[in-house]
Amino acid sequence: GRFAEIALSTGAIVVALDYSTAVDACYKNLGHHPNLHIIQGDIYALPFEKESFDYVYSLGVLQHTPDVKKAFFCLPSMLRSKGKICVDFYEKSWKSILLPKYWLRPISKRIPQDKLFSYLESLTPALLSISIMLGKIPGIGKLLKRMVPVANLSDELSLNKKQLREWALLDTFDWLSPEYDNPQKRSDLLGWLAESNMQNGEVLKAHHLVLRGVIQ
């Protein structure tokens, strides 16, 4: 719903789809928008006719599917001619393997989500403070802060203290709770672009890997 709200602010007619009960939260937060249509559905069996949309985006989602490539290739056919697509992925690299979330996920993804969220509500403020302090150490601070299992956006976004904690809680939960977490290599995404015959396709690094292009 975070990005649906931004899309709605432009005057767009937005169709928001999710497989989980996140659709209920989206309706609670944004259901008053007349241009919003919320659907619970499966990305592998999208309930839309082909060539239904001018723009498709999926941010923070595809790496949480069991078959990321298959999920991606379900999307381009939804676009009309000259339609645009933008999706992002966690990057797969030797650095990503060292992230503490991958040490914790074998345990955390098995914890009931309501309990995990409750644990993180208690732990996030302290973990975030530690991460911020470590980040201020000259030279090695950037590396050290990444070793703390919390999403620290203090150097990336202009957020007040309350917002920083809220984002840390939600993004850390997003790290630790999904059943699947499948980061991707830039070289593989470039191959997908070639297979999909997009125009002006590119893969860029904007915190995550971002793939975007235009359907012929």
Side-chain angles (χ1 to χ4, degrees):
R2 167 187 309 182
F3 302 108
E5 185 173 18
I6 295 171
L8 288 165
S9 72
T10 70
I13 298 173
V14 177
V15 178
L17 178 137
D18 199 280
Y19 188 65
S20 75
T21 55
V23 292
D24 298 325
C26 184
Y27 183 80
K28 181 179 179 180
N29 293 328
L30 302 175
H32 59 281
H33 286 274
N35 283 358
L36 177 65
H37 306 278
I38 305 170
I39 296 174
Q40 187 170 24
D42 183 350
I43 194 170
Y44 298 126
L46 290 168
F48 310 118
E49 293 184 0
K50 306 295 185 183
E51 301 181 5
S52 291
F53 301 97
D54 296 307
Y55 197 105
V56 168
Y57 70 86
S58 181
L59 305 176
V61 174
L62 296 186
Q63 65 260 358
H64 296 313
T65 60
D67 187 331
V68 181
K69 182 178 181 180
K70 181 181 177 181
F72 168 74
F73 275 98
C74 289
L75 301 179
S77 63
M78 294 293 110
L79 286 163
R80 301 184 179 104
S81 178
K82 307 302 180 183
K84 298 179 180 180
I85 185 170
C86 181
V87 294
D88 72 356
F89 309 85
Y90 294 150
E91 183 176 15
K92 186 175 184 178
S93 68
W94 67 268
K95 291 181 180 179
S96 66
I97 296 173
L98 298 176
L99 292 175
K101 73 170 183 176
Y102 291 113
W103 313 342
L104 296 172
R105 277 183 44 75
I107 298 171
S108 64
K109 69 181 182 180
R110 290 177 169 81
I111 299 173
Q113 294 200 350
D114 56 342
K115 290 186 178 179
L116 178 61
F117 191 82
S118 179
Y119 296 153
L120 292 176
E121 276 187 307
S122 300
L123 294 171
T124 293
L127 292 174
L128 182 59
S129 295
I130 294 169
S131 179
I132 291 173
M133 286 190 294
L134 291 175
K136 295 177 180 178
I137 298 174
I140 60 172
K142 187 174 181 180
L143 174 62
L144 290 176
K145 77 173 189 177
R146 289 166 59 89
M147 304 310 292
V148 182
V150 68
N152 178 0
L153 301 175
S154 59
D155 296 330
E156 300 173 36
L157 298 174
S158 298
L159 302 173
N160 61 40
K161 189 173 182 180
K162 181 176 182 293
Q163 291 170 330
L164 193 60
R165 285 187 175 184
E166 288 177 349
W167 278 58
L169 172 60
L170 294 176
D171 282 1
T172 304
F173 182 72
D174 185 59
W175 286 358
L176 300 176
S177 62
E179 182 175 356
Y180 302 102
D181 188 308
N182 297 311
Q184 302 297 307
K185 295 180 181 178
R186 185 174 186 273
S187 58
D188 291 335
L189 301 186
L190 290 170
W192 299 357
L193 273 178
E195 287 183 53
S196 60
N197 295 316
M198 290 187 195
Q199 298 176 332
N200 303 319
E202 63 177 344
V203 176
L204 54 95
K205 182 72 175 290
H207 190 58
H208 300 326
L209 291 178
V210 178
L211 182 158
R212 59 188 183 184
V214 180
I215 298 299
Q216 297 185 23

